[in-house]
Amino acid sequence: ALQGKEINLEKAPANNLVFLLDVSGSMDAPNKLGLLKESLKLLVNQMREQDKVAIVVYAGAAGLVLPATNDKTKIVAALDELSAGGSTAGGKGINLAYKIALENFSKKGNNRVILATDGDFNVGVSSTKDLEKLIVEKRKDNIFLTVLGYGMGNYKDNLMEILADKGNGNYAYIDNFKEAKKT
C-alpha cells in the first residue's frame, strides 16, 4: 500500500470556501446532484471553527443560497434543500462565487471556489476560451479553483480540467461515494 503524508489539519490555515454548485436540469440524477450533496457533506464534517463555507448555485440564474458561515448544521440544511431544474448559466455563477470569496477573503488562509458540476455550460459565458479568460482573471485575487465533476453522458471532462488548471487548482471526477470519500 502507498500512503501520502498526513497533514495536521489543526495547524492548517483557515479555509474560506465557496461551494459553486450546478443545480441545472442536467444535474437531476442520483449520481449527479444527489452524490454532490452527500460528498460535500463529507467535507463539511471535517470543518474546523475557523473555516467558513458559502454556497452559490446556478441554473437559469445564479444566486447566493448561504452566506459564509462555520455553522455545519446550516450548511448541511442548505445542501439538503437543493434541487435541480433549469438551464445552465455557469458564467454568472462563477462571477458571483468569486465575488463572495473575495468578500470573505482570509489573508493567510486557503481561499477557494469549489465548482461542482457535470460540465454543461450553455447560457451566458460558455465558450472554453471565455471561461479560461474569466478564471485566469479571477486567480489574480489569490482565490483558487477546485473542480469536482459529477455524472456521465454529456459530461465535459476536458472543460473541467482546463478550468481547474487555469484557476491554479485541482480537478477530480466523482462517480460514486467511494470516490467522493477519497477526494
Side-chain angles (χ1 to χ4, degrees), residues 55-75:
I55 300 176
V56 172
V57 297
Y58 65 93
L64 178 64
V65 171
L66 183 70
T69 182
N70 65 355
D71 186 330
K72 293 179 185 183
T73 304
K74 285 183 180 179
I75 298 167

Side-chain angles (χ1 to χ4, degrees), residues 155-177:
Y155 183 71
K156 295 182 175 60
D157 188 59
N158 60 332
L159 176 59
M160 300 298 92
E161 285 192 57
I162 289 168
L163 293 180
D165 288 346
K166 296 295 180 183
N168 280 0
N170 48 358
Y171 165 77
Y173 173 67
I174 300 173
D175 60 351
N176 60 54
F177 194 70

Side-chain angles (χ1 to χ4, degrees), residues 23-43:
V23 294
S24 65
S26 66
M27 291 292 289
D28 192 14
N31 71 336
K32 291 184 180 184
L33 187 57
L35 181 58
L36 180 156
K37 290 180 188 183
E38 295 308 309
S39 60
L40 290 180
K41 287 177 190 177
L42 290 171
L43 180 57

Side-chain angles (χ1 to χ4, degrees), residues 25 39 50 56 67 85 94 105 108 118 127 131 144 156-157 170:
S39 60
Q50 65 265 36
V56 172
I94 289 171
F105 191 81
K108 295 184 180 181
D118 63 0
S127 79
L131 285 167
F144 304 112
K156 295 182 175 60
D157 188 59
N170 48 358

